[in-house]
Amino acid sequence: MMQTELGNLEEKQVRQPYYVACMGDANDPDTWSAIPYHFLKYGKPLGFVDDGLTLRPQQPKFRAERLLWNGWNVIRGKGRGGFQYSPSFLEAVWRPVREKIRGSTVISMYQLFPESVVTDQSVRKMFYIDGTLRQLADYYHVPVSARTTKEATVRERRGYEAAEAIFTMSNFAAKSVVGDYGIDPSKVHVVPPGANLSPELYDQWVAHQMKMGRATTGALKMVTIAKDWKRKGVDRLVRAIQIGRSQGLQATLRVIGCDVAQVPLEL
């Protein structure tokens, strides 16, 4: 669907280079659960993305600036957290790629562009996001002060308004873009993501299972890596499995990474 939507948009003008951006190196499988990496790996052969941008938010200089920024905000009564949303950080982290993206299309997997990109009419802007900053604050309770979140969502809205299209990974996120930010629904498209699993590796696994005489069907076995079990929705998944089991579902869930002592006994 996303390829079709991009193709329809592309008919309007001569094709520009398409870059994928995220908060980090979009070409690195260690970045954001490998979502940008797989998006590029399978999007390039289809011809609707060309390359990933490399942003470096982990540079040592940003660690020092984060400490100073948080300290100054505490002094001003704005609270801690949210340096990654700040205009100064966004401008600095995007500066190395600013010349490269002029006259191109950028698909951002992060909710904020720096203001210099938002106002740059030579750059066609699109988003592909799993949720909005408003949702991160309201549902996932990220440790960012209310004032900083409010300021960031104002700039987030300007980015969506300047974008040609906003693709979301769920109807839940799309409703927030439209309802919380007032974005024209015709610009918002829902494109569920695929699994971050190489088809080639999956085929190897199936072949191995068959060689060992193991069936590839049967009970559903799920694994989730969740240090923050509540933010990852493990409670909802466990309750869903309980409902499914009462209706005949054969399934197990292995949770890796969270402290069992912090999980309610009923889960």
Side-chain angles (χ1 to χ4, degrees), residues 6 9 38 58 60 63 73 79 94 116 138 152 159 167-168 171 175 182 202 209 241 250:
L6 290 175
L9 292 170
H38 283 88
Q58 301 301 330
R63 297 171 193 163
N73 272 1
W94 276 81
S116 63
D138 292 346
F167 298 95
T168 67
N171 285 309
K175 289 179 180 178
Y202 177 74
Q209 294 293 95
I241 292 174
Q250 293 183 339

Side-chain angles (χ1 to χ4, degrees), residues 27 46 65 79 81 105 119 145 161 198 213 219 240 262 267:
N27 306 285
L46 295 175
E65 289 180 15
T105 298
T119 57
S145 71
E161 290 172 343
S198 164
Q262 297 180 359
L267 298 178

Side-chain angles (χ1 to χ4, degrees), residues 157-223:
R157 177 183 291 110
R158 287 203 296 268
Y160 294 153
E161 290 172 343
E164 190 162 336
I166 302 99
F167 298 95
T168 67
M169 298 184 182
S170 66
N171 285 309
F172 179 61
K175 289 179 180 178
S176 178
V177 173
V178 174
D180 296 332
Y181 295 81
I183 302 303
D184 183 348
S186 67
K187 290 174 53 172
V188 184
H189 313 275
V190 178
V191 183
N196 293 333
L197 180 66
S198 164
E200 295 81 11
L201 288 178
Y202 177 74
D203 289 342
Q204 291 179 28
W205 177 80
V206 171
H208 176 72
Q209 294 293 95
M210 294 178 65
K211 182 179 179 180
M212 300 297 292
R214 299 169 182 165
T216 57
T217 59
L220 176 64
K221 298 181 180 180
M222 293 177 281
V223 177

Side-chain angles (χ1 to χ4, degrees), residues 3 53 61 66 70 97 151 153 167-168 186 193 197 201 206 216:
Q3 184 182 11
L53 297 176
K61 67 175 183 177
R66 183 188 297 271
N70 275 304
V97 301
E151 292 174 0
T153 54
F167 298 95
T168 67
S186 67
L197 180 66
L201 288 178
V206 171
T216 57

Side-chain angles (χ1 to χ4, degrees), residues 21-23 32 55 84-85 90 94 107-114 118 126-137 140 142 152-161 163 166-169 173 176-177 181 231:
C22 61
M23 193 45 64
W32 196 41
L55 306 183
Q84 70 274 20
Y85 302 159
L90 290 169
W94 276 81
I107 304 172
S108 176
M109 295 185 174
Y110 188 67
Q111 296 89 346
L112 293 168
F113 279 114
V118 172
M126 299 182 186
F127 289 89
Y128 186 38
I129 56 173
D130 60 347
T132 64
L133 297 186
R134 182 74 271 153
Q135 289 177 314
L136 289 178
Y140 297 104
V142 293
T153 54
V154 170
R155 289 183 282 109
E156 183 186 12
R157 177 183 291 110
R158 287 203 296 268
Y160 294 153
E161 290 172 343
I166 302 99
F167 298 95
T168 67
M169 298 184 182
S176 178
V177 173
Y181 295 81
R231 181 176 175 184

Side-chain angles (χ1 to χ4, degrees), residues 26 28-40 109 196-197:
D28 186 345
D30 287 336
T31 299
W32 196 41
S33 302
I35 293 173
Y37 170 81
H38 283 88
F39 187 88
L40 282 162
M109 295 185 174
N196 293 333
L197 180 66

